[in-house]
Amino acid sequence: CIFCRIATGEIPAQIVARSDHAVAFRDLSPQAPTHVLVIPTSHLASAAEATGEAGAALLGEVMALGVRVAAELGLAEAGYRFVMNTGREGGQTVHHLHLHVLGGRQMRWPPG
Ligand code: AMP
């Protein structure tokens, strides 16, 4: 899994922050002036697998690191968007749970 290998440092990435069980790095193909991905360091295919207490704790840590990164990158005042594509119709292409943190421009709604 490509994101597992980013988490271990086997594949280079522009890491912006880490917590105990999560890591944040720049998206290779940014869709906004700031586009960071936050992943759990252990493999979970998607949010649909983040069940029970362990899943809740992991999602909490990923979201919390997203909030911290958004603040550290100066997005908090103007605002930003969290996206977690899940499964085929959710548009997920990399099957390791990840949170997109997007900011630096006006977001639109509804998403495509
Ligand atoms: P999703 O479509 O939600 O599964 O998002 C996958 C994201 O991973 C896309 O935005 C890709 O640009 C990004 N991505 C894929 N490979 C890499 C990589 N090696 N380093 C950073 N971002 C990547």
Side-chain angles (χ1 to χ4, degrees), residues 40 42 44 46-63 84 97:
S42 58
L44 267 190
S46 79
E49 289 192 356
T51 55
E53 267 181 48
L58 203 78
L59 286 170
E61 184 167 336
V62 165
M63 295 285 275
M84 194 175 282
L97 187 158

Side-chain angles (χ1 to χ4, degrees), residues 2-3 6 11-13 25-29 35 37 85 91-94 98 100:
I2 190 164
F3 285 179
I6 285 176
I11 287 182
F25 54 96
R26 304 265 182 194
D27 196 292
L28 259 190
S29 174
H35 187 171
L37 300 175
N85 295 326
Q92 186 178 2
T93 60
V94 176
H98 53 280
H100 295 260

Side-chain angles (χ1 to χ4, degrees), residues 1 22 27 37 39-41 58 64 81 109:
C1 166
D27 196 292
L37 300 175
I39 62 168
T41 52
L58 203 78
R81 182 169 289 177
W109 196 261

Side-chain angles (χ1 to χ4, degrees), residues 85-108:
N85 295 326
T86 303
R88 181 169 42 85
E89 289 200 352
Q92 186 178 2
T93 60
V94 176
H95 299 285
H96 181 127
L97 187 158
H98 53 280
L99 175 70
H100 295 260
V101 182
L102 297 146
R105 67 168 169 83
Q106 181 62 53
M107 298 297 156
R108 280 168 285 281

